[in-house]
Amino acid sequence: MNKLLLTLFWLISLLIMFFIGKNTGAGDFAMATKAQVNSTKNLTEPALYEIGKCDTTLTDEHKALTSSEQATNNQASKNNQTNAQHTLIKELAEVKRQLKEAESKLESFYATESNVSRQAEQPSQVTEEEVAQHLSAPFDSVILEARGSMVDKFRQLHEEPEDHEWSIIMEQHISDFFVTHDFADKVKLDAVTCKQTICEIRGFEFENEAWGRVMSDMRNQSWWNFVSSHSTTQNNKEFGMYFYSLISKTVI
C-alpha cells in the first residue's frame, strides 16, 4: 500500500515537472521567436530607409536632368531666334540693295528718255560752213535740209578714222558696179567715199527711178555688207535730177 502511494506520488511529481518544464520551454521559444522577429525588423528597416533615400536621390537627379534639358532647349530656341533674325537682316539688306539698284536704273531711264525727248525736239543740224568742207552744190542742199540721224551719219563719216584696206576695196566695188550695170547710161556716179563703217554715194540720174534700180541690184551683191541706208533723189533746175545716199554697216 505504501509502495503504491509512493509510486503514485512519484508519477504526479514527474507530471508536474513535465508541465512546468514544458511551459518554461514555450516561454523561451516565444521569447526567442519575438527576438528573432525584432532582429529581422531591425535588419529590414535600414534597408527600407536606404531604398527611400535612393528614391530621393534618383528624384533629385531626374529633376537636375530635366532642368538641364530645359536649359539646353531654351538655348537652342534662343540660337534659332538669333539665326532667324540674322537671316531676316540679310534679306532686308538685299531688298534694300535691289531697291537702290532699281531706283538707279529708273533714274537712268528717265535721264535717257529726257535726252531722247530733247533730241527729238531739237534734231541734229549742220551749218553751211560745216557742209561746205565736204560737199558742193547740189549735194550740199541734201544735208543742209536734213535732220536727225542722216546728219549724225554725215558727221560720223567725216569724223571716223579710215580703214584703208576696207574703204579702197568697197569704193572699187561700187564704182565698178555703176560702170557695168545695165543702167550705166542712165546714171552717173559723181563720187563714192568710204571710211570705216559708212560710205557716201552721190551722182546724177537721167531717167526716173534709174538710181533706185541700181541701188536695189547692188544690195544683192556678195560683197554688200551694209545693214542700213538713207537715200534721197532730188531735182535741181541747174543740175537736174541727182541722188545722195549714206550706207552703213551699222543701223543708222
Side-chain angles (χ1 to χ4, degrees):
M1 182 68 179
N2 291 330
K3 288 181 179 181
L4 180 62
L5 289 174
L6 288 172
T7 300
L8 182 62
F9 176 77
W10 183 76
L11 289 173
I12 292 171
S13 296
L14 289 175
L15 289 173
I16 291 171
M17 290 178 67
F18 173 77
F19 281 112
I20 291 173
K22 185 178 181 180
N23 289 334
T24 300
D28 292 340
F29 177 78
M31 289 180 65
T33 301
K34 184 176 181 180
Q36 185 176 3
V37 170
N38 289 337
S39 176
T40 302
K41 183 177 180 181
N42 290 335
L43 291 173
T44 304
E45 284 181 353
L48 293 176
Y49 172 75
E50 292 296 331
I51 292 174
K53 184 177 181 180
C54 180
D55 291 342
T56 302
T57 302
L58 290 175
T59 301
D60 292 340
E61 290 179 354
H62 177 70
K63 289 181 179 179
L65 181 60
T66 302
S67 178
S68 177
E69 290 177 351
Q70 290 178 349
T72 302
N73 293 335
N74 291 337
Q75 185 61 39
S77 178
K78 289 180 180 179
N79 292 338
N80 291 336
Q81 291 178 355
T82 301
N83 292 335
Q85 289 176 352
H86 289 166
T87 301
L88 290 174
I89 291 172
K90 290 181 179 179
E91 291 178 352
L92 180 60
E94 178 63 17
V95 170
K96 288 182 177 179
R97 185 192 67 77
Q98 293 179 357
L99 179 60
K100 188 174 181 180
E101 183 178 350
E103 290 175 347
S104 178
K105 289 182 178 180
L106 187 61
E107 290 177 359
S108 177
F109 172 78
Y110 284 143
T112 302
E113 286 293 309
S114 177
N115 186 40
V116 170
S117 298
R118 286 196 299 270
Q119 290 180 355
E121 293 172 358
Q122 299 178 352
S124 300
Q125 290 180 277
V126 291
T127 63
E128 293 182 3
E129 292 77 8
E130 187 177 357
V131 175
Q133 296 176 18
H134 309 288
L135 292 175
S136 59
F139 307 106
D140 56 351
S141 62
V142 175
I143 302 301
L144 288 172
E145 295 172 2
R147 298 290 185 277
S149 60
M150 192 168 189
V151 172
D152 293 336
K153 286 301 176 182
F154 173 78
R155 283 176 172 158
Q156 182 180 340
L157 169 69
H158 297 289
E159 290 175 358
E160 70 179 8
E162 185 175 357
D163 181 349
H164 294 284
E165 182 178 355
W166 176 81
S167 64
I168 292 174
I169 293 175
M170 189 55 62
E171 288 173 359
Q172 190 64 49
H173 280 313
I174 295 172
S175 298
D176 291 344
F177 190 79
F178 269 85
V179 174
T180 58
H181 195 272
D182 292 341
F183 283 11
D185 59 336
K186 298 176 182 178
V187 293
K188 178 185 177 181
L189 182 64
D190 180 72
V192 55
T193 302
C194 297
K195 283 293 193 70
Q196 189 175 35
T197 62
I198 305 172
C199 287
E200 176 191 69
I201 306 172
R202 61 180 187 265
F204 298 95
E205 183 181 46
F206 306 125
E207 183 179 302
N208 287 335
E209 300 182 1
W211 160 241
R213 173 66 182 275
V214 174
M215 185 66 164
S216 177
D217 292 342
M218 194 158 45
R219 288 193 179 100
N220 295 325
Q221 301 306 302
S222 60
W223 46 263
W224 182 272
N225 61 352
F226 301 97
V227 296
S228 64
S229 67
H230 276 299
S231 185
T232 182
T233 302
Q234 297 184 13
N235 194 348
N236 184 280
K237 292 182 179 180
E238 181 180 358
F239 297 97
M241 291 187 297
Y242 62 94
F243 58 86
Y244 182 88
S245 182
L246 287 172
I247 55 178
S248 174
K249 291 196 293 185
T250 59
V251 177
I252 295 180

